[in-house]
Structure formats: C-alpha cells, structure tokens
Amino acid sequence: MHACGLRRFRRCFSAEQEAIAGAFRRHTLLALDDCLYALQATIPHLSRSALHRCFQRHGISRLPLNEDGHSPPKKKFKDYPIGYLHVDFAKIQTEEGKQYLFVAIDRTSKVAFAKLHPRAKRVVALTEFAANMAWNTA
C-alpha cells in the first residue's frame, strides 16, 4: 500500500495515443463524450475519465469560447443523403515521427472514425482507411 492509501498515478495512454486524442479534439471540436465514442475503436481501453485527464494535460478540456466569453452556438449540419462521409486528415507528430490522422464523419448518423497512417499523399492510405472504416462499422 502506498503512503496515505493513495493509488499511484498510472498513465493510460502511450504518447502516440495522446497525440491521436489531442489532434482529434482540436480538429473536430467535439464534446468529450463524442470524442470518447469516436476514439474507442482506435484506443480500446479508453475510459471517459482518462480521456478527460488527457485533455486537461493538453489544455483542451474546454471547448474554445467566442469573443463574448460564451460557448459558441451549436451549429446544425446541413441535410445530407444517407452515406455521405466527410473525410479529412491532420498531420501530427508522434514518437515514430510524422503521421497523419484520418478522420471520417458520417454526416447523417454523426458516427466518427479515426485512424493513424504514416503516409497521406498516397491513394493507398485512403483506400486502406475506407476499407478499415467499413469493416469496423459493419
């Protein structure tokens, strides 16, 4: 047992997983629970409290405020046909070097999916990502 019965702090994320979570939050500006749901496919042992602590460590636990000091108003997505995917990517730095975080959001169901890939300029990266996303959502 540790002094005063306190448990030792254990980090639940690798540096790469922290980079994924941070980049995903900054890129999508989704709420904590939405980020948790989207990232659980990529980081299976992820818990809500661990994700919140990660966001706090990186100073992104609160969404940015507008000039008035209030939260920005929530915007509605335009109506899209079923199956419309918005795919985007962001460059992040990990222990292995520069990698790309691919993010896809189904505009109708609001389901999001994220995956790291070492290359962004090849069609192979996008096709692998799309195949993996289809497999994980089926």
Side-chain angles (χ1 to χ4, degrees):
M1 182 172 252
H2 302 288
C4 300
L6 298 175
R7 286 187 278 162
R8 210 181 261 172
F9 174 73
R10 193 184 94 196
R11 189 174 218 174
C12 298
F13 290 111
S14 68
E16 179 178 278
Q17 291 169 335
E18 280 216 18
I20 290 170
F24 186 81
R25 173 67 172 226
R26 284 184 197 95
H27 188 70
T28 62
L29 294 177
L30 290 173
L32 176 65
D33 291 328
D34 296 332
C35 288
L36 174 67
Y37 179 74
L39 291 170
Q40 279 180 329
T42 307
I43 309 170
H45 62 278
L46 185 61
S47 69
R48 187 178 191 278
S49 59
L51 185 61
H52 179 64
R53 285 191 305 270
C54 172
F55 288 166
Q56 283 182 319
R57 279 193 296 276
H58 293 280
I60 53 175
S61 62
R62 290 183 175 257
L63 291 174
L65 301 176
N66 59 17
E67 302 84 37
D68 302 337
H70 295 19
S71 296
K74 297 202 186 256
K75 299 177 185 175
K76 287 188 88 175
F77 283 127
K78 288 184 354 187
D79 288 334
Y80 290 98
I82 293 175
Y84 180 86
L85 286 179
H86 172 80
V87 179
D88 209 348
F89 69 95
K91 182 172 58 171
I92 62 172
Q93 190 66 33
T94 65
E95 289 177 343
E96 290 82 30
K98 182 172 60 174
Q99 296 211 5
Y100 297 88
L101 176 67
F102 282 87
V103 178
I105 301 172
D106 180 349
R107 294 290 193 173
T108 305
S109 66
K110 310 297 187 278
V111 172
F113 181 78
K115 182 178 182 186
L116 268 182
H117 202 279
R119 295 187 185 111
K121 295 180 179 161
R122 290 188 163 190
V123 177
V124 176
L126 187 56
T127 55
E128 282 180 19
F129 173 70
N132 193 352
M133 189 185 70
W135 181 79
N136 280 326
T137 56

